[in-house]
Amino acid sequence: MTGARERLTGSALSLYLAALLLLAGPAFADGSATSAQAQQRAKAVTQVVLGILSYARWPVEPVPLRLCLVGPTEYADDLIKSNVQNAGQPMQVHRLLADDRQVAHACDAVYIGKLDPGQRDRLFQDISGHPVLSISEADDPCTTGTLFCLRVGDQQVAFEVNLDSVARSGVRIHPSVLQLSRRRAVQP
């Protein structure tokens, strides 16, 4: 009797596992669609970031431009692979820890991922007074030190501009980029 019960339990377990695999199949397929969407978003973010950088002017033009990724990022994978800007100028991309005190001297631009408020405050204290362009990936209100705040959606990547931070940064931004941010912000 024990052998029959073990066969029945084994058969039930096999059926249960088969049902789980059948149900998980669409989830795996959906996961690959989600992966493809994330990859598409990363490419779109890269194009927007490279576009912003190409319309920025530093007091002394950096060659190569040093872009630093700070904090955990969701869409920066393609930026890491970049070694030239849209205009063909050389660019170096590397990651720094959020508490690295050399950010202001090692970076011409920072791409900011998710940081806690204390880390953000320290970062902006460190770059304050230095010509460092900052772009935030995290969904923040674009009020605390960041020059550009990305808004990543399914259909497009938009951005907001903090004009006060731009004025204080020492980096000049072409007026057409500022106009573009206003137009994109109006679109749904």
Side-chain angles (χ1 to χ4, degrees):
M1 185 88 178
T2 305
R5 190 176 336 173
E6 287 174 358
R7 279 193 302 265
L8 180 59
T9 305
S11 295
L13 184 58
S14 295
L15 285 172
Y16 178 70
L17 289 175
L20 276 178
L21 285 174
L22 286 174
L23 292 174
F28 287 129
D30 187 50
S32 67
T34 302
S35 175
Q37 286 175 333
Q39 207 169 26
Q40 183 178 359
R41 287 179 185 158
K43 288 184 186 306
V45 165
T46 296
Q47 290 307 308
V48 169
V49 169
L50 292 177
I52 290 169
L53 294 175
S54 71
Y55 284 99
R57 296 294 173 259
W58 284 261
V60 175
E61 203 61 33
V63 178
L65 176 79
R66 300 165 301 165
L67 173 63
C68 301
L69 309 178
V70 180
T73 58
E74 190 172 352
Y75 303 110
D77 290 346
D78 279 356
L79 280 171
I80 293 170
K81 299 172 192 170
S82 299
N83 60 2
V84 292
Q85 300 174 53
N86 284 350
Q89 297 294 332
M91 180 171 73
Q92 294 175 344
V93 181
H94 55 278
R95 287 194 177 273
L96 290 179
L97 296 174
D99 59 352
D100 190 325
R101 296 291 194 199
Q102 295 302 310
V103 170
H105 302 290
C107 310
D108 303 303
V110 291
Y111 181 91
I112 305 164
K114 295 190 186 311
L115 298 177
D116 67 43
Q119 290 173 319
R120 288 181 72 78
D121 290 345
R122 282 189 300 281
L123 174 66
F124 290 122
Q125 284 174 1
D126 290 345
I127 65 174
S128 179
H130 297 276
V132 177
L133 186 147
S134 57
I135 301 171
S136 179
E137 175 185 273
D139 195 23
D140 63 22
C142 208
T143 57
T144 312
T146 307
L147 276 66
F148 293 90
C149 300
L150 300 180
R151 302 292 179 236
V152 182
D154 288 336
Q155 302 301 318
Q156 73 174 11
V157 176
F159 58 90
E160 294 178 33
V161 177
N162 182 328
L163 295 175
D164 184 48
S165 293
V166 169
R168 294 172 192 243
S169 72
V171 178
R172 290 182 299 131
I173 307 298
H174 194 280
S176 63
V177 174
L178 305 177
Q179 292 287 340
L180 183 60
S181 73
R182 285 189 217 146
R183 270 194 303 241
R184 285 189 174 186
V186 173
Q187 294 178 354

mmCIF file of all heavy atoms in Angstrom, residues 13-39:
data_model
loop_
_atom_site.group_PDB
_atom_site.id
_atom_site.type_symbol
_atom_site.label_atom_id
_atom_site.label_comp_id
_atom_site.label_asym_id
_atom_site.label_seq_id
_atom_site.Cartn_x
_atom_site.Cartn_y
_atom_site.Cartn_z
ATOM 1 N N LEU A 13 2.743 15.070 -7.759
ATOM 2 C CA LEU A 13 3.817 16.058 -7.747
ATOM 3 C C LEU A 13 4.286 16.355 -9.165
ATOM 4 O O LEU A 13 4.503 17.504 -9.525
ATOM 5 C CB LEU A 13 4.980 15.548 -6.885
ATOM 6 C CG LEU A 13 6.149 16.499 -6.697
ATOM 7 C CD1 LEU A 13 5.697 17.807 -6.065
ATOM 8 C CD2 LEU A 13 7.221 15.852 -5.860
ATOM 9 N N SER A 14 4.418 15.322 -9.995
ATOM 10 C CA SER A 14 4.825 15.514 -11.389
ATOM 11 C C SER A 14 3.813 16.354 -12.143
ATOM 12 O O SER A 14 4.183 17.263 -12.908
ATOM 13 C CB SER A 14 4.989 14.164 -12.091
ATOM 14 O OG SER A 14 6.050 13.454 -11.511
ATOM 15 N N LEU A 15 2.518 16.090 -11.945
ATOM 16 C CA LEU A 15 1.472 16.883 -12.594
ATOM 17 C C LEU A 15 1.510 18.337 -12.123
ATOM 18 O O LEU A 15 1.354 19.264 -12.916
ATOM 19 C CB LEU A 15 0.093 16.282 -12.324
ATOM 20 C CG LEU A 15 -0.239 15.022 -13.112
ATOM 21 C CD1 LEU A 15 -1.555 14.422 -12.613
ATOM 22 C CD2 LEU A 15 -0.340 15.335 -14.588
ATOM 23 N N TYR A 16 1.721 18.501 -10.829
ATOM 24 C CA TYR A 16 1.786 19.837 -10.262
ATOM 25 C C TYR A 16 2.959 20.621 -10.865
ATOM 26 O O TYR A 16 2.816 21.774 -11.271
ATOM 27 C CB TYR A 16 1.919 19.740 -8.735
ATOM 28 C CG TYR A 16 2.043 21.069 -8.047
ATOM 29 C CD1 TYR A 16 0.961 21.947 -7.977
ATOM 30 C CD2 TYR A 16 3.251 21.464 -7.482
ATOM 31 C CE1 TYR A 16 1.079 23.166 -7.354
ATOM 32 C CE2 TYR A 16 3.380 22.684 -6.856
ATOM 33 C CZ TYR A 16 2.291 23.537 -6.791
ATOM 34 O OH TYR A 16 2.411 24.745 -6.171
ATOM 35 N N LEU A 17 4.129 19.984 -10.945
ATOM 36 C CA LEU A 17 5.296 20.644 -11.527
ATOM 37 C C LEU A 17 5.090 20.957 -13.007
ATOM 38 O O LEU A 17 5.488 22.013 -13.496
ATOM 39 C CB LEU A 17 6.547 19.790 -11.332
ATOM 40 C CG LEU A 17 7.071 19.709 -9.891
ATOM 41 C CD1 LEU A 17 8.235 18.722 -9.821
ATOM 42 C CD2 LEU A 17 7.495 21.064 -9.390
ATOM 43 N N ALA A 18 4.455 20.025 -13.731
ATOM 44 C CA ALA A 18 4.177 20.263 -15.156
ATOM 45 C C ALA A 18 3.236 21.455 -15.317
ATOM 46 O O ALA A 18 3.430 22.304 -16.205
ATOM 47 C CB ALA A 18 3.580 19.011 -15.785
ATOM 48 N N ALA A 19 2.225 21.553 -14.458
ATOM 49 C CA ALA A 19 1.290 22.682 -14.518
ATOM 50 C C ALA A 19 2.022 23.988 -14.222
ATOM 51 O O ALA A 19 1.791 25.008 -14.879
ATOM 52 C CB ALA A 19 0.145 22.477 -13.540
ATOM 53 N N LEU A 20 2.923 23.969 -13.249
ATOM 54 C CA LEU A 20 3.695 25.171 -12.937
ATOM 55 C C LEU A 20 4.555 25.603 -14.118
ATOM 56 O O LEU A 20 4.653 26.791 -14.434
ATOM 57 C CB LEU A 20 4.595 24.930 -11.721
ATOM 58 C CG LEU A 20 3.954 25.109 -10.360
ATOM 59 C CD1 LEU A 20 4.943 24.797 -9.260
ATOM 60 C CD2 LEU A 20 3.418 26.514 -10.187
ATOM 61 N N LEU A 21 5.184 24.632 -14.779
ATOM 62 C CA LEU A 21 6.011 24.970 -15.937
ATOM 63 C C LEU A 21 5.175 25.547 -17.070
ATOM 64 O O LEU A 21 5.591 26.483 -17.749
ATOM 65 C CB LEU A 21 6.789 23.746 -16.415
ATOM 66 C CG LEU A 21 7.972 23.350 -15.537
ATOM 67 C CD1 LEU A 21 8.572 22.039 -16.031
ATOM 68 C CD2 LEU A 21 9.019 24.434 -15.516
ATOM 69 N N LEU A 22 3.979 24.985 -17.275
ATOM 70 C CA LEU A 22 3.101 25.514 -18.319
ATOM 71 C C LEU A 22 2.673 26.936 -18.000
ATOM 72 O O LEU A 22 2.607 27.790 -18.880
ATOM 73 C CB LEU A 22 1.869 24.616 -18.493
ATOM 74 C CG LEU A 22 2.108 23.293 -19.208
ATOM 75 C CD1 LEU A 22 0.844 22.441 -19.188
ATOM 76 C CD2 LEU A 22 2.552 23.535 -20.644
ATOM 77 N N LEU A 23 2.381 27.190 -16.732
ATOM 78 C CA LEU A 23 1.977 28.536 -16.341
ATOM 79 C C LEU A 23 3.162 29.499 -16.350
ATOM 80 O O LEU A 23 3.003 30.680 -16.616
ATOM 81 C CB LEU A 23 1.332 28.512 -14.950
ATOM 82 C CG LEU A 23 -0.024 27.804 -14.871
ATOM 83 C CD1 LEU A 23 -0.477 27.722 -13.423
ATOM 84 C CD2 LEU A 23 -1.049 28.524 -15.719
ATOM 85 N N ALA A 24 4.349 28.998 -16.069
ATOM 86 C CA ALA A 24 5.539 29.854 -16.016
ATOM 87 C C ALA A 24 6.017 30.219 -17.414
ATOM 88 O O ALA A 24 6.674 31.238 -17.585
ATOM 89 C CB ALA A 24 6.655 29.171 -15.241
ATOM 90 N N GLY A 25 5.699 29.423 -18.415
ATOM 91 C CA GLY A 25 6.136 29.701 -19.779
ATOM 92 C C GLY A 25 5.771 31.100 -20.229
ATOM 93 O O GLY A 25 6.638 31.861 -20.666
ATOM 94 N N PRO A 26 4.482 31.499 -20.121
ATOM 95 C CA PRO A 26 4.147 32.870 -20.494
ATOM 96 C C PRO A 26 4.860 33.902 -19.627
ATOM 97 O O PRO A 26 5.220 34.978 -20.093
ATOM 98 C CB PRO A 26 2.633 32.941 -20.281
ATOM 99 C CG PRO A 26 2.169 31.527 -20.397
ATOM 100 C CD PRO A 26 3.302 30.693 -19.861
ATOM 101 N N ALA A 27 5.094 33.584 -18.368
ATOM 102 C CA ALA A 27 5.805 34.527 -17.506
ATOM 103 C C ALA A 27 7.230 34.713 -17.997
ATOM 104 O O ALA A 27 7.758 35.826 -18.003
ATOM 105 C CB ALA A 27 5.799 34.033 -16.057
ATOM 106 N N PHE A 28 7.894 33.627 -18.414
ATOM 107 C CA PHE A 28 9.240 33.753 -18.958
ATOM 108 C C PHE A 28 9.209 34.550 -20.256
ATOM 109 O O PHE A 28 10.067 35.373 -20.499
ATOM 110 C CB PHE A 28 9.874 32.381 -19.203
ATOM 111 C CG PHE A 28 10.292 31.676 -17.942
ATOM 112 C CD1 PHE A 28 9.898 30.368 -17.699
ATOM 113 C CD2 PHE A 28 11.069 32.318 -16.989
ATOM 114 C CE1 PHE A 28 10.284 29.717 -16.543
ATOM 115 C CE2 PHE A 28 11.466 31.677 -15.827
ATOM 116 C CZ PHE A 28 11.065 30.373 -15.604
ATOM 117 N N ALA A 29 8.219 34.303 -21.097
ATOM 118 C CA ALA A 29 8.102 35.054 -22.346
ATOM 119 C C ALA A 29 7.868 36.524 -22.043
ATOM 120 O O ALA A 29 8.439 37.401 -22.671
ATOM 121 C CB ALA A 29 6.956 34.495 -23.196
ATOM 122 N N ASP A 30 7.032 36.816 -21.041
ATOM 123 C CA ASP A 30 6.771 38.186 -20.648
ATOM 124 C C ASP A 30 8.045 38.811 -20.092
ATOM 125 O O ASP A 30 8.325 39.978 -20.322
ATOM 126 C CB ASP A 30 5.646 38.232 -19.612
ATOM 127 C CG ASP A 30 5.232 39.653 -19.290
ATOM 128 O OD1 ASP A 30 4.994 40.411 -20.244
ATOM 129 O OD2 ASP A 30 5.173 39.994 -18.103
ATOM 130 N N GLY A 31 8.840 38.010 -19.389
ATOM 131 C CA GLY A 31 10.109 38.496 -18.863
ATOM 132 C C GLY A 31 11.039 38.922 -19.974
ATOM 133 O O GLY A 31 11.741 39.915 -19.871
ATOM 134 N N SER A 32 11.063 38.174 -21.078
ATOM 135 C CA SER A 32 11.926 38.565 -22.189
ATOM 136 C C SER A 32 11.396 39.825 -22.861
ATOM 137 O O SER A 32 12.174 40.649 -23.324
ATOM 138 C CB SER A 32 12.068 37.421 -23.192
ATOM 139 O OG SER A 32 10.838 37.167 -23.818
ATOM 140 N N ALA A 33 10.065 39.994 -22.905
ATOM 141 C CA ALA A 33 9.495 41.223 -23.448
ATOM 142 C C ALA A 33 9.878 42.389 -22.541
ATOM 143 O O ALA A 33 10.234 43.462 -23.011
ATOM 144 C CB ALA A 33 7.978 41.105 -23.574
ATOM 145 N N THR A 34 9.824 42.168 -21.243
ATOM 146 C CA THR A 34 10.208 43.203 -20.298
ATOM 147 C C THR A 34 11.688 43.514 -20.452
ATOM 148 O O THR A 34 12.096 44.673 -20.404
ATOM 149 C CB THR A 34 9.902 42.750 -18.853
ATOM 150 O OG1 THR A 34 8.508 42.449 -18.772
ATOM 151 C CG2 THR A 34 10.241 43.813 -17.849
ATOM 152 N N SER A 35 12.502 42.506 -20.666
ATOM 153 C CA SER A 35 13.926 42.701 -20.885
ATOM 154 C C SER A 35 14.166 43.518 -22.155
ATOM 155 O O SER A 35 15.012 44.402 -22.173
ATOM 156 C CB SER A 35 14.626 41.349 -20.984
ATOM 157 O OG SER A 35 15.966 41.518 -21.306
ATOM 158 N N ALA A 36 13.417 43.214 -23.199
ATOM 159 C CA ALA A 36 13.553 43.961 -24.453
ATOM 160 C C ALA A 36 13.136 45.413 -24.253
ATOM 161 O O ALA A 36 13.776 46.330 -24.791
ATOM 162 C CB ALA A 36 12.715 43.313 -25.549
ATOM 163 N N GLN A 37 12.072 45.636 -23.471
ATOM 164 C CA GLN A 37 11.643 47.007 -23.187
ATOM 165 C C GLN A 37 12.709 47.750 -22.394
ATOM 166 O O GLN A 37 13.001 48.908 -22.667
ATOM 167 C CB GLN A 37 10.334 47.015 -22.404
ATOM 168 C CG GLN A 37 9.127 46.667 -23.224
ATOM 169 C CD GLN A 37 7.874 46.573 -22.354
ATOM 170 O OE1 GLN A 37 7.944 46.282 -21.169
ATOM 171 N NE2 GLN A 37 6.732 46.832 -22.971
ATOM 172 N N ALA A 38 13.293 47.083 -21.403
ATOM 173 C CA ALA A 38 14.342 47.712 -20.592
ATOM 174 C C ALA A 38 15.546 48.062 -21.458
ATOM 175 O O ALA A 38 16.149 49.130 -21.299
ATOM 176 C CB ALA A 38 14.747 46.799 -19.442
ATOM 177 N N GLN A 39 15.890 47.171 -22.383
ATOM 178 C CA GLN A 39 17.010 47.425 -23.286
ATOM 179 C C GLN A 39 16.705 48.617 -24.202
ATOM 180 O O GLN A 39 17.568 49.464 -24.447
ATOM 181 C CB GLN A 39 17.276 46.172 -24.105
ATOM 182 C CG GLN A 39 18.678 46.029 -24.572
ATOM 183 C CD GLN A 39 18.903 44.633 -25.146
ATOM 184 O OE1 GLN A 39 17.987 43.967 -25.625
ATOM 185 N NE2 GLN A 39 20.148 44.198 -25.092
#
